[in-house]
Amino acid sequence: MEEYEDRNILLAKLGFKDYKVYLRSSLWKSIRERKIEIDPDCYACEKDADHAQIQIHHGKYTEKNLTGESLDDLYTLCSRCHRWCEVSKTGFKRTPKQATIEMHKIRKMMIKRKQWRPDGRAVNIITRLTLNRKYD
C-alpha cells in the first residue's frame, strides 16, 4: 500500500525509525493531546472521552500533520469506530483514504440512526443493536 510506504519515507526523513516509534514519541503525544483538546468526541459515533478510549485517525499522512504544524486530516475516533473504519469485515487493513471514506459512512449511518428521548437527549440505536446482538 503506497500510502503507508510514503508515510514511512516521511517518518524516516523526520528521524523516526518506524511508525511505532513515532507513535511513542513526545511529538505524537503532543499532537494527539492538541487534537483531543479541540475535538474530544468520536467523530463517527460522538462518544466522549469519558465513555470511550479516544484515538486519532490519520485521513492522510502529510509532513504537516506528522510534525504537528497542521491538524488537518486528523480525526478523533473511539477505538471501536477506529477499528471499524481501518479494518474490513474480511480482516484486511484499509488504506488511509479508504478508511476515511468508511469513517464518513459510519458517521452518516450513526446520524441517521439517532433517536431522541423525550428529555431531548440522543440515544444511539447502533450501540443498543450491538449490545443486543451479543445475546442473539
Side-chain angles (χ1 to χ4, degrees):
M1 291 194 228
E2 193 174 316
E3 291 173 87
Y4 293 115
E5 292 169 14
D6 293 345
R7 174 202 65 195
N8 293 339
I9 291 167
L10 278 172
L11 289 174
K13 180 180 164 186
L14 297 171
F16 295 100
K17 178 182 170 190
D18 57 32
Y19 191 58
K20 285 184 180 184
V21 170
Y22 170 74
L23 291 178
R24 289 190 297 258
S25 72
S26 59
L27 172 62
W28 171 245
K29 289 175 185 172
S30 70
I31 295 167
R32 183 182 182 283
E33 286 173 14
R34 283 180 26 228
K35 183 61 182 174
I36 291 173
E37 190 175 305
I38 294 167
D39 296 320
D41 299 339
C42 176
Y43 175 81
C45 72
E46 299 180 344
K47 284 185 185 172
D48 60 34
D50 293 336
H51 298 95
Q53 180 185 359
I54 299 297
Q55 301 175 346
I56 307 298
H57 167 70
H58 283 87
K60 290 182 188 174
Y61 292 102
T62 66
E63 188 169 350
K64 286 185 176 188
N65 70 24
L66 289 171
T67 60
E69 186 179 327
S70 169
L71 298 179
D72 292 346
D73 299 310
L74 297 179
Y75 300 88
T76 52
L77 293 173
C78 69
S79 56
R80 179 174 161 256
C81 289
H82 199 193
R83 176 147 178 82
W84 186 351
C85 75
E86 292 224 346
V87 180
S88 72
K89 288 180 182 178
T90 55
F92 291 101
K93 181 154 175 69
R94 293 183 172 103
T95 66
K97 184 177 180 178
Q98 292 168 334
T100 302
I101 291 167
E102 187 68 18
M103 177 192 66
H104 289 295
K105 287 179 186 176
I106 295 166
R107 180 176 171 86
K108 278 184 180 179
M109 182 179 64
M110 294 296 193
I111 289 170
K112 283 181 183 177
R113 294 191 176 182
K114 265 198 182 164
Q115 200 176 28
W116 295 94
R117 295 181 181 172
D119 63 4
R121 292 177 40 208
V123 178
N124 193 325
I125 294 173
I126 294 296
T127 303
R128 268 201 254 142
L129 290 174
T130 303
L131 292 174
N132 290 339
R133 197 176 327 148
K134 290 178 186 175
Y135 304 106
D136 288 343

